[in-house]
Amino acid sequence: MPRRVVTIYSRKRCPLCDKAKAVLLELREEYHFTLEEVDIETSDELTERYGLMIPVVHIDGEEVAYGIVNKIDISNRLQNGAK
């Protein structure tokens, strides 16, 4: 089975982003996924798309969470599949 990819869209100086990243790092120990972090400030398109929603979490390209990221919800998605 291919390794899952979890992407977090965030920006610097964002306390919610820091909390979400900590949750994902903790979950990565259990679910062994690849974690990618994208700074939305590197792209006008990403800033426009996610500026008010960050952090935004995608699993294998599917948006699964934004704002306050719930560890249990992400864990369930990783365990049961993102679809």
Side-chain angles (χ1 to χ4, degrees), residues 1 3-5 7 12 19 24 38 40 42 44-45 47-48 50-51 53 58 64 67 69-70 75-76:
M1 185 160 144
R3 189 170 188 146
R4 307 206 61 190
V5 177
T7 306
K12 294 177 179 126
K19 288 178 183 178
L24 295 174
V38 178
I40 65 166
T42 62
D44 290 341
E45 179 185 342
T47 299
E48 185 175 324
Y50 296 127
M53 297 171 58
H58 286 203
V64 297
V69 174
N70 183 293
S75 178
N76 288 339

Side-chain angles (χ1 to χ4, degrees), residues 1 14 19 22 35 49 59 68 70:
M1 185 160 144
C14 168
K19 288 178 183 178
L35 179 60
R49 182 183 215 178
I59 298 175
I68 297 173
N70 183 293

Side-chain angles (χ1 to χ4, degrees), residues 5 13 21 23 26 30 36-37 43 47 52 54 57 81:
V5 177
R13 297 174 306 282
K21 186 174 177 185
V23 164
E26 189 175 325
E30 182 176 350
E36 298 176 345
E37 186 171 8
S43 162
T47 299
L52 298 175
I54 61 166
V57 177

